[in-house]
Amino acid sequence: MSSSNTVLHIITGLQDGGAEGVMYRLCKHSASTKHVVISLMDEGKYGSLLREAGIEVFCLGMNPGKPSLFKFFRLVSLVRSVCPGVVQTWMYHADLIGGLAARIAGNKNVYWGIRHSTLERGKTKLSTILVARLCASLSFWLPKKIICCANKASRVHEELGYTKDKLCVIHNGCDLTRFSPNENSRQRVREEFGVSESEFLIGCVGRYHPCKDHENLFKALALVKDAGVNFRCLLVGKNVNKANGALVNAIANLGLDESVLLAGSREDVPDVMNAIDIHVLASSSEGFPNVLAEAMACGTPCVTTEVGDALDIVGDVELTCLPSDPDALASLVQRMFLKWFEGPEIWERTKIHCVQKIQRFSVQSMVDAYEACWYGRK
């Protein structure tokens, strides 16, 4: 007999990614529901954090390149033993494998989680595209609902063949208790990197990946530098460090060695968001770019390429430009610099406006939306 108050999450892995972070926040802040998590691979970053939050975690150790029938039926067995009222899957491989396992285990309350807003060859693995297309063909039967993180993701997957009537959108929620203005955090990080208050500090938080388009960012920064703007740029994210030869060479080739600071992965992202003066998102593809909401929650203005639901987050088309257009991105950065340069009073009003705009993307609003969807209130 199923436990209607238990939600079983099946996710591809628990590494440091956007989907993993959203699932963690959802489980942690959904106090009225019991959550259990199954990772198809390992426990990554979030396994221990989930356990610390009192959430049971299972890891199957699957190899994405070598499907295992034994581990698949181990998954079926786990679904039966947990006996959840709802099975929530995250990302294409888990949607397919987790959804099928849940159905074989006798559970029809399967909710898929869509995190991509584009599927382009060269930027997305061919195997991922094939799995997404297979999911599209099964979407009329397998899931009860298909939850997308962005409006654009919903439109793209409808065009891909996903069943329209099952698609719904729940935006990611930002933990406003972690991401909020903090002057002490600002001063600490700036001192760590030797950046004075009189310097304009640009920031970009995101892993090194083609879809993040660091090349677009660097070309834009080179144009900003050529225009005579004095700035520093702090880059944070997985593989965004001096050990990444391709990244270091790209920076050097554009003469940005003295301007760009490489910080790699950090656990104090809220402090980083407070330290920078603006956040720049240069991506060519996103679903719901969490970093924009996180920066704005800290009172940090953003400029962004118009990807995923970025425009919905920043709320102003004049803060956006088309992807892969460094000239347009450079213009946005220069415009923000001039506003910052005008003086603290104008800039402070801009920061307050950012905090106010992002309140609608709170964790609690996301939790409420998921629970309404799972329990038929949406």
Side-chain angles (χ1 to χ4, degrees), residues 108-121:
K108 294 182 179 180
N109 286 330
V110 177
Y111 293 77
W112 279 355
I114 299 290
R115 316 301 303 174
H116 281 63
S117 63
T118 56
L119 286 165
E120 298 179 39
R121 290 194 179 187

Side-chain angles (χ1 to χ4, degrees), residues 66-135:
K66 294 181 181 178
S68 167
L69 202 57
F70 172 77
K71 288 178 179 177
F72 174 77
F73 280 103
R74 166 70 175 142
L75 175 60
V76 173
S77 177
L78 275 173
V79 176
R80 284 197 180 118
S81 65
V82 173
C83 210
V86 169
V87 176
Q88 173 69 58
T89 61
W90 298 81
M91 299 183 287
Y92 299 123
H93 291 81
D95 291 343
L96 178 62
I97 296 170
L100 288 172
R103 281 305 200 110
I104 291 171
N107 194 311
K108 294 182 179 180
N109 286 330
V110 177
Y111 293 77
W112 279 355
I114 299 290
R115 316 301 303 174
H116 281 63
S117 63
T118 56
L119 286 165
E120 298 179 39
R121 290 194 179 187
K123 295 179 181 177
T124 306
K125 291 180 181 178
L126 179 59
S127 59
T128 300
I129 294 173
L130 292 174
V131 171
R133 291 189 180 280
L134 180 54
C135 285

Side-chain angles (χ1 to χ4, degrees), residues 36-345:
V36 178
V37 174
I38 298 175
S39 167
L40 299 182
M41 296 193 293
D42 55 21
E43 70 170 53
K45 169 187 174 179
Y46 282 101
S48 58
L49 293 174
L50 286 161
R51 291 191 181 97
E52 287 172 14
I55 295 153
E56 194 172 13
V57 178
F58 299 92
C59 299
L60 296 180
M62 287 185 176
N63 184 333
K66 294 181 181 178
S68 167
L69 202 57
F70 172 77
K71 288 178 179 177
F72 174 77
F73 280 103
R74 166 70 175 142
L75 175 60
V76 173
S77 177
L78 275 173
V79 176
R80 284 197 180 118
S81 65
V82 173
C83 210
V86 169
V87 176
Q88 173 69 58
T89 61
W90 298 81
M91 299 183 287
Y92 299 123
H93 291 81
D95 291 343
L96 178 62
I97 296 170
L100 288 172
R103 281 305 200 110
I104 291 171
N107 194 311
K108 294 182 179 180
N109 286 330
V110 177
Y111 293 77
W112 279 355
I114 299 290
R115 316 301 303 174
H116 281 63
S117 63
T118 56
L119 286 165
E120 298 179 39
R121 290 194 179 187
K123 295 179 181 177
T124 306
K125 291 180 181 178
L126 179 59
S127 59
T128 300
I129 294 173
L130 292 174
V131 171
R133 291 189 180 280
L134 180 54
C135 285
S137 67
L138 295 173
S139 63
F140 76 97
W141 163 74
L142 206 162
K144 193 170 185 178
K145 283 282 186 182
I146 305 165
I147 301 174
C148 301
C149 67
N151 293 308
K152 184 175 180 181
S154 179
R155 294 192 297 270
V156 165
H157 287 80
E158 181 185 339
E159 292 170 4
L160 193 64
Y162 280 69
T163 304
K164 180 180 179 179
D165 293 344
K166 295 186 178 184
L167 290 164
C168 64
V169 176
I170 299 177
H171 288 122
N172 298 345
C174 180
D175 187 350
L176 300 179
T177 62
R178 289 188 67 227
F179 291 91
S180 60
N182 188 314
E183 188 60 30
N184 290 333
S185 296
R186 175 182 173 82
Q187 292 176 3
R188 182 187 67 76
V189 174
R190 290 177 80 99
E191 286 175 8
E192 177 185 345
F193 288 98
V195 179
S196 70
E197 273 301 317
S198 62
E199 290 182 276
F200 186 60
L201 183 59
I202 299 165
C204 177
V205 177
R207 72 192 191 282
Y208 184 69
H209 187 276
C211 73
K212 300 300 178 183
D213 206 350
H214 283 89
E215 182 181 358
N216 183 37
L217 173 64
F218 298 150
K219 287 179 178 178
L221 292 179
L223 291 168
V224 172
K225 183 180 179 182
D226 290 344
V229 176
N230 184 25
F231 69 89
R232 307 279 288 284
C233 181
L234 179 61
L235 302 185
V236 174
K238 184 179 180 181
N239 294 327
V240 183
N241 52 45
K242 291 180 180 177
N244 186 333
L247 186 73
V248 171
N249 288 337
I251 292 168
N253 290 339
L254 288 166
L256 294 169
D257 309 66
E258 301 300 317
S259 302
V260 176
L261 305 165
L262 301 177
S265 296
R266 291 178 67 105
E267 296 298 320
D268 61 345
V269 173
D271 295 350
V272 170
M273 292 304 194
N274 272 283
I276 59 181
D277 293 306
I278 66 166
H279 186 280
V280 179
L281 186 76
S283 297
S284 60
S285 173
E286 292 281 350
F288 182 95
N290 295 309
V291 290
L292 296 179
E294 291 167 355
M296 291 174 66
C298 295
T300 299
C302 297
V303 295
T304 177
T305 49
E306 198 169 324
V307 287
D309 278 11
L311 177 56
D312 291 343
I313 299 170
V314 298
D316 185 347
V317 71
E318 292 189 358
L319 298 174
T320 71
C321 66
L322 293 175
S324 306
D325 187 344
D327 291 280
L329 188 60
S331 295
L332 293 179
V333 173
Q334 287 174 255
R335 195 182 308 156
M336 294 303 284
F337 169 75
L338 291 173
K339 195 170 187 180
W340 172 84
F341 193 74
E342 284 182 59
E345 289 185 9

